[in-house]
Amino acid sequence: MAQKNKFLQISVVGGTDADRSTLALAESVGKAIAEQGAVLICGGFGGVMEAAARGAKERGGLTVGILSNYKKEKANPFIDITIPTGLGHARNFLVAASGDIVVALSGSHGTRSEVSAALLLGKKVVGLKAWQEIEGVHRVESVAELKKYYFA
C-alpha cells in the first residue's frame, strides 16, 4: 500500500526581477514555510525563488527547485533538491502542480502562468500583496495573515 505524503508542499511563485520589499517578503514566506515543517517548492532560480529558498534554509527547511533547463548547477544556492526538466516555461505548470498551496508574490507573465495553472488544477492560490485582480486568488496583506489562515 502506498504511503500518504507526510509533508505539506507549498509552492512559492514570483518574479525574478523583484524589488527589495518583495524579496524581503519572499524571504519571510520561506521562513514561515520551514517553521510549519512544510517543503518549499519553487522554480529554483533567482529573485523571489531565491529569497524564499534562503528564508526556508535559515529555518532549517527543505527546498525543491524545478528548473526550466537541464543545468542543475544553475539553481540558486539554497535549493536542496534540484529537478532539471528542460521544459522551458512549461515547467511553470509543474511548480504549480507540486504545491498543496501556491503562494504568489508579484511577478510578470511567468508568475501569472503559474497562478493560472494552479487555479486550473483546483489548488488554493494565495496572493501575498498581489494578484487580487484574478478571480479565485485569495489575497492576504502579510505573512502573519498567510500563516493564520492558510498554514494552520
Side-chain angles (χ1 to χ4, degrees):
M1 182 190 296
Q3 182 178 358
K4 186 177 175 185
N5 187 354
K6 296 188 218 181
F7 300 102
L8 177 65
Q9 296 181 186
I10 301 174
S11 294
V12 177
V13 301
T16 54
D17 296 322
D19 62 31
R20 206 177 249 178
S21 65
T22 301
L23 294 175
L25 202 56
E27 189 168 331
S28 294
V29 169
K31 289 176 183 177
I33 290 169
E35 289 164 358
Q36 288 296 312
V39 176
L40 184 142
I41 305 207
C42 67
F45 293 125
V48 165
M49 298 168 279
E50 183 169 351
R54 178 176 44 252
K57 293 311 302 169
E58 285 179 14
R59 294 293 194 270
L62 179 64
T63 61
V64 177
I66 302 176
L67 305 181
S68 58
N69 60 32
Y70 289 121
K71 299 176 180 175
K72 289 174 71 171
E73 68 277 4
K74 296 293 185 181
N76 75 63
F78 306 102
I79 297 298
D80 295 310
I81 299 169
T82 305
I83 302 171
T85 69
L87 294 173
H89 294 293
R91 80 77 151 83
N92 293 354
F93 211 94
L94 296 176
V95 172
S98 297
D100 299 306
I101 300 168
V102 176
V103 178
L105 287 86
S106 64
S108 190
H109 302 299
T111 306
R112 183 180 296 272
S113 74
E114 289 164 320
V115 167
S116 296
L119 291 170
L120 283 169
L121 293 169
K123 303 286 181 171
K124 180 158 297 224
V125 180
V126 183
L128 182 53
K129 294 188 175 189
W131 306 107
Q132 73 274 6
E133 72 279 5
I134 298 177
E135 185 178 342
V137 174
H138 305 265
R139 184 177 168 107
V140 296
E141 294 299 319
S142 69
V143 175
E145 189 179 1
L146 176 69
K147 287 168 57 173
K148 179 178 179 182
Y149 293 110
Y150 300 100
F151 290 6

